[in-house]
Amino acid sequence: MKASQTTTSLFSAAVRHHKAGRLDQAAAAYHDVLRQTPGHADAMHLLAVIEAQQGRLHQAIPRLQEAARLKPRNPEIRLNLANALLGAGQANQALEAYRAALTIRPDFAEARASLLHAIRRIAAFLESENRAGEAIPLWREAISLAPDKDAHWSGLAGALENVAFVKRDPLLHDVLLQLLGRSDVNPNSFYYAILSYLRVTPGFTEALAAAEAPAEIPGGDLFTRLLHTALVADPEIERSLTRWRAAALKRIDSGERSGLALEFLSALAAQCFATEYVYSESAGETAAVERLIAALAQGTALDPERLAVLATYRPLHRFAVPAQPLPQALGPVVQRQITEPREEQSLRGTIPTLTPVDDSVSRAVREQYEENPYPRWLSVARPRQAMRVAERLGVTDPKILIAGCGTGSHPASTAMRFPSAHVVAVDLSLTSLAYAKRRSRELGLERIEYAQADILELGRLQRRFDIVESVGVLHHLGDPLAGWRVLIDLVRPGGLMLIGLYSELGRRPIVAARAFIAEHGFDASADGIRRARQAILDSMEGWVVRRLRTNVDFYSISGCRDLLFHVQEHRFTIPQIAQALDQLGLSFIGFDPLDYAVVMKFRARFPADPEMRSLANWEVFEQDNPNTFASMYQFWLRKPASSET
């Protein structure tokens, strides 16, 4: 009895020291308790907590494991064990311990939060090690624990970007469906993973080979959602959809039913509209479509099925479609093909003009994008973490200019990265700007100011900006450096620039394809683009076609025109960029974004350049790895402060 009282007294004293922050005295007292009562689980637990706090995880972990054995229903012990295991890099064991704590006490908020933190940390590590597939179950678990957290959905989307499924996971099906229904992720970045999942769904691949779409497509709900939300850049899918569309048209032209459910016809119409009707079309199909259009011109109200089939060939906003009750399945078709284009038309008159467009090249570029605004994006991914660029400026609400904003995906992404920023976004094309303004309003991005302007004339703008971003624009000017100089004058001293330019090495397949197009005389009309695409797929061989087949821009009229038929294109090398920066007086900060594998490879090759700021090193690296900047160079620059020379 006396010994027991002594143990109790010692333990109480240890706890008082612990609560008061006297950790050394507390640890000594816990040791005294354990000498008297070796199986005292609470003393073991709290002593291990101190050891973990002091970095002695090799002592803390076995002590916590023993305490958990002695008190298997104590969730706090499991939580602290999990924290220690995570700190020691024993990720799988840590996850098991967190889950055990929640099993014991499902409402244990601290354990839930710690588990989610661990999942995010472990998933990031796995992705950095090119093991993104292993992160997918973790993100799915995070979503099940906290489905309202946008970051978890973004994490899953990011993990899917470089994943190909080799077997079906039924538990993932509904999560993928929900992911495709979100507006804050970009399905075009992970559509390949969805397709690989569908292809391991029994019967899906066989369905793709059919002359007509089967009444029920395996995995059809997921496939339908994908067609609604992403531009599916896949030759096999394109061939199947082209074949199924033609079969449905032939049936209704002969007075039969199309053979397709309205839900699938609606999804097919959404995909065809997203591609801007890039799929090949026979003379017979054209004639059948003209008969449908003629019926509309005579004031005939097409039945829902015939209207949906027409929408797979032509955008409905071009026609006077009689008002009529339509099934819910056609709601997305009406919204995408009639309501939204008409809203964009009305928005054109609300966009101010800041400068004239007098330059001949600027006029030609404007004409291209008026006809084919690029890109026709449906969603934009929210940043997985806020950019730290503003920290370099010392401002919390930067003023940002997007010079050449296109259809608005760039300013939308920037506005999400800098929620308190005021963004001014300018472009040559009113059609592009109207699309941008509509999409920004839908996303609730009210701090973007859109205007029509020519970069070459922006010198008359009496405003200065903390950041000027111009990505994929300067290389379409007659004189890129002239436009660049204009933009520099709009940056406040010490401010930043984000510039994107085509790489001579990275664009080699595009240059080869452009030469092929010129040799065969294809023009930049919609029909010319369709014929050029087919000829490239049929006639060109090797790496050029392989690269084009995986480029999402190859799968739409506007994308293909921008990629292969642009009226003006310059390409750069890294030495040319270095020379330009020297002439312009700008400091190179770094390329961004960079794939993690590229970062690791560069640092291994050039260990003396940990900040990766040597353009001479980057020149060597790109020569050895010519696909590094296949899209384009994107890099941050700093304008000197006024006191700098």
Side-chain angles (χ1 to χ4, degrees):
M1 188 69 175
K2 185 176 180 182
S4 175
Q5 290 174 337
T6 302
T7 298
T8 301
S9 175
L10 284 173
F11 181 72
S12 297
V15 170
R16 286 195 298 273
H17 286 308
H18 200 161
K19 288 181 177 179
R22 297 186 292 271
L23 300 186
D24 289 341
Q25 294 96 315
Y30 288 136
H31 276 295
D32 288 341
V33 171
L34 291 171
R35 275 192 289 271
Q36 286 199 2
T37 311
H40 199 296
D42 291 331
M44 280 183 204
H45 172 207
L46 296 175
L47 175 58
V49 168
I50 294 174
E51 290 170 335
Q53 287 178 313
Q54 294 176 340
R56 290 177 284 140
L57 295 176
H58 64 288
Q59 293 175 321
I61 290 172
R63 207 182 299 279
L64 285 165
Q65 289 170 330
E66 177 62 12
R69 186 187 68 79
L70 293 169
K71 281 196 167 183
R73 301 298 300 170
N74 185 304
E76 286 84 3
I77 294 176
R78 300 283 181 173
L79 172 62
N80 287 318
L81 172 59
N83 290 337
L85 288 166
L86 186 64
Q90 299 178 42
N92 290 333
Q93 298 93 317
L95 291 175
E96 290 177 8
Y98 285 127
R99 293 169 185 142
L102 282 173
T103 299
I104 298 166
R105 190 198 299 172
D107 63 347
F108 194 178
E110 187 179 355
R112 184 180 298 268
S114 296
L115 173 56
L116 289 170
H117 170 74
I119 286 173
R120 291 191 291 268
R121 176 174 164 181
I122 295 166
F125 169 77
L126 290 170
E127 291 171 41
S128 73
E129 294 286 304
N130 291 320
R131 296 160 58 191
E134 297 174 50
I136 290 172
L138 295 177
W139 287 120
R140 189 178 66 201
E141 182 177 5
I143 288 168
S144 70
L145 290 168
D148 59 326
K149 294 293 185 182
D150 295 343
H152 298 161
W153 294 98
S154 297
L156 176 61
L160 287 168
E161 287 185 12
N162 297 303
V163 167
F165 291 97
V166 294
K167 62 180 180 179
R168 188 169 180 269
D169 179 359
L171 295 176
L172 194 59
H173 186 96
D174 287 345
V175 176
L176 293 177
L177 265 178
Q178 294 177 68
L179 184 66
L180 286 174
R182 297 181 64 89
S183 62
D184 57 353
V185 298
N186 183 2
N188 281 328
S189 66
F190 58 83
Y191 76 90
Y192 179 76
I194 304 288
L195 282 181
S196 70
Y197 182 87
L198 285 167
R199 283 189 166 108
V200 296
T201 299
F204 181 80
T205 300
E206 291 77 7
L208 290 181
E212 298 186 23
E216 290 189 16
I217 301 171
D221 56 348
L222 188 57
F223 187 45
T224 297
R225 184 73 61 83
L226 182 66
L227 295 179
H228 270 297
T229 56
L231 183 60
V232 183
D234 183 274
E236 183 184 18
I237 298 295
E238 178 176 326
R239 287 192 295 269
S240 297
L241 296 182
T242 301
R243 191 168 59 248
W244 295 350
R245 178 180 73 163
L249 176 63
K250 184 177 180 180
R251 278 174 169 269
I252 66 162
D253 190 51
S254 63
E256 302 176 36
R257 307 291 296 179
S258 71
L260 296 175
L262 271 180
E263 288 77 10
F264 186 75
L265 274 175
S266 176
L268 179 55
Q271 186 65 198
C272 292
F273 184 77
T275 73
E276 297 154 287
Y277 305 95
V278 79
Y279 297 167
S280 61
E281 179 182 314
S282 70
E285 289 172 87
T286 302
V289 170
E290 290 301 323
R291 286 190 282 274
L292 289 173
I293 294 172
L296 275 181
Q298 295 169 5
T300 302
L302 300 180
D303 66 72
E305 192 172 33
R306 289 157 64 84
L307 189 66
V309 171
L310 175 59
T312 68
Y313 281 90
R314 303 287 187 271
L316 295 183
H317 66 84
R318 291 184 183 176
F319 314 113
V321 178
Q324 59 180 309
L326 291 172
Q328 184 178 0
L330 291 191
V333 175
V334 173
Q335 177 68 21
R336 188 79 56 83
Q337 297 199 18
I338 298 178
T339 305
E340 292 175 359
R342 289 177 180 172
E343 182 182 350
E344 290 162 24
Q345 187 62 35
S346 69
L347 286 172
R348 290 173 66 94
T350 69
I351 297 169
T353 298
L354 297 182
T355 76
V357 182
D358 296 326
D359 179 77
S360 60
V361 173
S362 296
R363 286 178 176 272
V365 172
R366 179 183 63 181
E367 181 180 345
Q368 172 177 329
Y369 290 121
E370 290 292 355
E371 293 178 5
N372 298 113
Y374 166 84
R376 292 182 183 271
W377 56 285
L378 301 177
S379 57
V380 61
R382 291 189 180 275
R384 294 175 69 179
Q385 59 181 14
M387 285 187 69
R388 299 174 182 264
V389 175
E391 296 175 6
R392 298 177 182 271
L393 296 169
V395 295
T396 56
D397 55 348
K399 296 177 176 62
I400 303 174
L401 171 67
I402 310 293
C405 68
T407 52
S409 60
H410 182 174
S413 178
T414 296
M416 290 177 178
R417 291 176 184 272
F418 299 100
S420 61
H422 182 82
V423 179
V424 176
V426 302
D427 199 81
L428 292 166
S429 163
L430 268 180
T431 303
S432 299
L433 288 164
Y435 189 99
K437 189 168 185 178
R438 176 182 65 79
R439 291 295 291 120
S440 296
R441 283 168 51 166
E442 290 170 357
L443 292 170
L445 301 174
E446 303 294 340
R447 295 172 66 90
I448 304 176
E449 174 188 342
Y450 288 104
Q452 186 181 37
D454 185 352
I455 286 175
L456 294 172
E457 301 292 336
L458 281 176
R460 65 183 70 197
L461 193 64
Q462 300 301 309
R463 299 170 73 172
R464 294 297 177 267
F465 299 88
D466 300 299
I467 303 173
V468 171
E469 301 182 9
S470 188
V471 176
V473 179
L474 294 177
H475 49 228
H476 293 317
L477 299 180
D479 183 351
L481 283 185
W484 203 341
R485 288 190 180 94
V486 172
L487 296 181
I488 291 172
D489 289 341
L490 298 174
V491 183
R492 72 163 175 80
L496 301 177
M497 300 190 83
L498 176 64
I499 299 295
L501 300 171
Y502 284 149
S503 160
E504 189 72 66
L505 274 176
R507 295 281 285 185
R508 289 176 304 154
I510 309 305
V511 172
R514 288 176 68 108
F516 177 88
I517 287 167
E519 178 185 349
H520 290 80
F522 297 115
D523 61 32
S525 66
D527 185 60
I529 290 171
R530 290 188 193 98
R531 291 187 295 110
R533 290 179 75 251
Q534 199 58 51
I536 287 171
L537 292 172
D538 291 343
S539 305
M540 297 191 76
E541 298 179 351
W543 63 280
V544 173
V545 173
R546 287 197 298 272
R547 288 278 297 280
L548 288 175
R549 284 163 62 100
T550 59
N551 190 320
V552 70
D553 286 342
F554 190 67
Y555 293 84
S556 70
I557 295 292
S558 63
C560 200
R561 186 173 181 183
D562 185 85
L563 184 72
L564 301 177
F565 290 83
H566 207 287
V567 296
Q568 178 69 58
E569 175 175 313
H570 295 274
R571 295 175 298 277
F572 291 79
T573 64
I574 289 179
Q576 287 173 330
I577 291 173
Q579 182 180 12
L581 298 186
D582 187 57
Q583 293 175 8
L584 299 170
L586 297 170
S587 301
F588 179 75
I589 295 175
F591 289 110
D592 180 53
L594 287 173
D595 184 79
Y596 183 81
V598 170
V599 172
M600 293 296 98
K601 194 170 184 178
F602 182 92
R603 286 178 172 165
R605 176 73 172 79
F606 301 103
D609 184 15
E611 297 297 316
M612 302 187 294
R613 292 189 179 180
S614 168
L615 286 172
N617 289 346
W618 276 113
E619 179 191 3
V620 173
F621 187 88
E622 188 185 20
Q623 290 292 333
D624 293 341
N625 305 274
N627 294 331
T628 302
F629 301 103
S631 175
M632 68 179 74
Y633 303 115
Q634 289 190 54
F635 47 94
W636 285 96
L637 306 167
R638 183 174 181 271
K639 180 178 178 177
S642 56
S643 60
E644 296 180 18
T645 58

